Amino acid sequence: MTHAAIGLVVIFGIVLLPVYLFLLAAFFGKPRAPGVAILMLGLPAGLLALSLAGMWLLGSALSLVVP
Amino acid sequence: METEKLLKPIRETGIGFYAAAGALSVVALWMLAAWLYQLRNGLIVTGLRDWGVGYGAPWGVYIATFVWYIGIAHGGIAISAAIRLLRLEAYKPIARIAEVVTVISLMMAGANITFDIGRPDRIFNMIVNYWSRVGHSPLVWDVTVILIYMVLSISYLVISMRDDIAALRRRLPRLFAPLYALVLFGYHPEEREKREQMLWWLALALICLMTLLSGGVVPWLFGLMVSQAGWFSALQGPYFLIGALASAIAAIIVVVFLVRRVLGWEKEISAEVFSGLSKPLAVLLIAYLYLVLQEQLTILYAGPPAEQSISHALLFGHFAPLFWMVIGVMAVSVAYLGLQWLGALPPSVGRTAIAAAGVVAALWVKRVLIVVPTFLYPRLPYPTGIYVPTWVEWSLFLGTVALAVLLFMGFSKMFPLMEMEVRR
């Protein structure tokens, strides 16, 4: 396997497996309550978006400080 | 009475709290000033220099502190998740404290990485160029998994608080009402069964992710670097994982001890919690010392010259005082905790906390000893380098510690530090 592809397999194929399992359990595990599942999953999704936006904001703010 | 005691830290604030918060704020503000100074002048104000021809170390206190915080972060959620998965009811009183320690430590780990970047204003470029980097860059793997781990840890903490906040909302400070409204977004009591099922799976996911992060993605930053003597080793995964778990359990013991002492929760957090946590800590420290022996013996017996020069520096040379101090603190802690476990010494919460504090400090120094020596003793025939952290690096390191304590104190003024269910 080339170096260019190994990270995709390691991260998205192995390391994140527990996260996929959690997502599957949220939607297909009993008791089934898609509304609650979506509501609860909205939190990590929102936090992820917030983190990325925060990173962009931090970079932009720091560009004003760094000469 | 029970709920009153739970709410007491939120509703009553003594002069000691303000004094501590004031002192910590001064240190945190000093950190901001030092960072501003570093941003304006560049990394030249630190002791970091290029390695090899630069005779220095480009990674130092910031990266060592990042690894240290990541290690501490893993214990909190691991303990909390284990309590949920294995139904360890006796440890439930410390579950939320452990979760908060995780979230704050992850934030401080992120801060230390940002300090280490020469051009932090370009931090978002990592996201812009994400797909062309993630295939081959362990640094991008780290950003990916730490970000997901942090997001899921905060989610775990928030979701597990919904019932408590709903029950106590009217008695919590009005000042933070918008925050409580956010935590309770879409709340209805019937969600409980589904929420508990999701929390169980989230706990399982976090424990697995923690193992793969602390015993995989973070050590791969070092273990996959063939160019760096002392790092390129398959041992790094278990080495880092055991070190992370040891520093995490030790940190939780210290934090829980302080919370118990300050809030007078001796009845709520029993002495058995401390003796229970001290046992895995002793086992992990023995395992860590065993791995140090494996590593050093392999290098000293037949290691390549560059590896041997690092080992000599650690065992007999430049780094020997720090190295033997770390080993000494760990050995004494293991001996004390082991004798306590075997019943040869009377159990003591205070002395357990002191031993744990020693381990936390020793493992920070050990992280410095993992990060720095490889740069000062390079594979190519350059003269030995030198690295002395400057006041800027010390200010930023101590500032994150002060900020972490300040954030924890802030959390204790907004949310209950113990689950309501424990009280019921």
Side-chain angles (χ1 to χ4, degrees):
Chain A
M1 189 175 290
T2 62
H3 273 201
I6 198 166
L8 296 174
V9 176
V10 169
I11 299 303
F12 296 102
I14 300 170
V15 176
L16 292 183
L17 269 178
V19 180
Y20 307 150
L21 199 64
F22 162 61
L23 294 175
L24 284 174
F27 286 112
F28 302 110
K30 287 179 182 170
R32 288 214 182 151
V36 177
I38 289 169
L39 185 72
M40 300 292 163
L41 292 176
L43 179 62
L47 285 170
L48 190 63
L50 204 66
S51 305
L52 294 176
M55 211 186 277
W56 178 80
L57 271 174
L58 178 71
S60 306
L62 290 179
S63 66
L64 304 174
V65 178
V66 175
Chain B
M1 169 58 192
E2 293 296 308
T3 309
E4 283 306 313
K5 201 167 183 183
L6 182 71
L7 291 175
K8 199 179 167 192
I10 300 175
R11 300 166 78 162
E12 291 175 23
T13 307
I15 187 83
F17 182 92
Y18 288 117
L24 291 166
S25 299
V26 169
V27 181
L29 285 172
W30 176 254
M31 174 193 76
L32 278 179
W35 190 33
L36 195 64
Y37 176 70
Q38 181 184 300
L39 286 169
R40 297 291 300 166
N41 295 284
L43 287 173
I44 194 72
V45 300
T46 68
L48 301 170
R49 297 291 182 272
D50 203 1
W51 63 291
V53 287
Y55 312 127
W59 282 6
V61 165
Y62 298 148
I63 296 293
T65 308
F66 156 76
V67 177
W68 183 65
Y69 273 122
I70 287 288
I72 292 173
H74 289 168
I77 284 287
I79 289 171
S80 175
I83 290 167
R84 189 174 292 276
L85 296 174
L86 305 173
R87 298 180 197 282
L88 303 171
E89 299 296 322
Y91 295 90
K92 254 192 159 179
I94 64 164
R96 186 161 297 155
I97 296 172
E99 290 161 19
V100 179
V101 168
T102 286
V103 171
I104 293 174
S105 299
L106 282 170
M107 290 175 178
M108 295 306 111
N112 273 280
I113 280 290
T114 313
F115 297 155
D116 194 69
I117 301 174
R119 291 295 303 266
D121 52 316
R122 296 177 183 172
I123 196 167
F124 198 69
N125 285 5
M126 207 152 33
I127 306 301
V128 173
N129 299 307
Y130 183 80
W131 288 109
S132 62
R133 301 285 184 272
V134 70
H136 56 85
S137 168
L139 280 170
V140 179
W141 305 351
D142 245 51
V143 172
T144 308
V145 183
I146 289 173
L147 200 59
I148 290 174
Y149 186 74
M150 187 168 82
V151 157
L152 292 181
S153 297
I154 298 173
S155 303
Y156 184 84
L157 174 65
V158 172
I159 292 172
S160 68
M161 284 198 306
R162 280 167 73 88
D163 264 351
D164 289 2
I165 302 300
L168 299 170
R169 196 176 181 182
R170 290 178 197 283
R171 306 177 66 183
L172 293 171
R174 282 190 186 172
L175 179 66
F176 305 118
L179 204 57
Y180 304 136
L182 261 178
V183 172
L184 291 178
F185 180 76
Y187 177 84
H188 56 90
E190 299 77 42
E191 72 179 37
R192 186 182 169 88
E193 201 184 347
K194 179 64 185 173
R195 194 184 58 228
E196 286 303 311
Q197 180 256 356
M198 285 182 68
L199 278 174
W200 192 92
W201 283 99
L202 186 52
L204 185 67
L206 281 166
I207 276 205
C208 297
L209 205 58
M210 179 277 290
T211 312
L212 289 164
L213 182 55
S214 224
V217 179
V218 173
W220 290 335
L221 270 179
F222 301 85
L224 299 183
M225 302 285 178
V226 70
S227 60
Q228 300 304 132
W231 284 359
F232 186 64
S233 163
L235 202 62
Q236 298 294 9
Y239 208 1
F240 271 62
L241 180 62
I242 289 170
L245 288 173
S247 56
I249 292 178
I252 295 296
I253 289 176
V254 175
V255 174
V256 171
F257 170 78
L258 292 173
V259 168
R260 183 180 188 256
R261 188 78 180 258
V262 171
L263 300 181
W265 283 2
E266 281 83 5
K267 219 164 73 181
E268 285 73 16
I269 303 173
S270 68
E272 282 71 39
V273 168
F274 291 87
S275 61
L277 288 174
S278 71
K279 289 169 189 171
L281 177 59
V283 173
L284 287 163
L285 288 175
I286 292 169
Y288 197 83
L289 290 171
Y290 165 76
L291 288 178
V292 172
L293 175 69
Q294 291 288 346
E295 182 191 45
Q296 294 305 322
L297 181 67
T298 308
I299 294 172
L300 279 177
Y301 188 78
E307 308 264 352
Q308 288 207 346
S309 62
I310 290 173
S311 192
H312 272 280
L314 285 172
L315 299 178
F316 317 110
H318 184 62
F319 294 110
L322 287 175
F323 179 82
W324 291 112
M325 187 193 73
V326 169
I327 300 298
V329 170
M330 283 188 179
V332 170
S333 300
V334 166
Y336 173 72
L337 297 174
L339 288 171
Q340 192 177 255
W341 189 357
L342 294 170
L345 285 174
S348 160
V349 171
R351 282 194 289 272
T352 301
I354 292 171
V359 170
V360 172
L363 279 164
W364 181 81
V365 178
K366 185 68 175 69
R367 266 54 175 260
V368 175
L369 294 178
I370 291 171
V371 171
V372 174
T374 182
F375 295 112
L376 304 189
Y377 297 87
R379 276 194 200 284
L380 292 172
Y382 292 110
T384 303
I386 188 162
Y387 168 65
V388 181
T390 63
W391 67 269
V392 176
E393 286 161 282
W394 289 116
S395 301
L396 295 185
F397 162 61
L398 293 172
T400 58
V401 176
L403 187 59
V405 179
L406 204 56
L407 288 173
F408 187 89
M409 288 167 68
F411 182 90
S412 76
K413 288 288 153 204
M414 290 185 270
F415 299 102
L417 279 175
M418 199 183 286
E419 288 181 30
M420 283 273 285
E421 205 176 317
V422 179
R423 302 233 155 230
R424 281 200 291 269

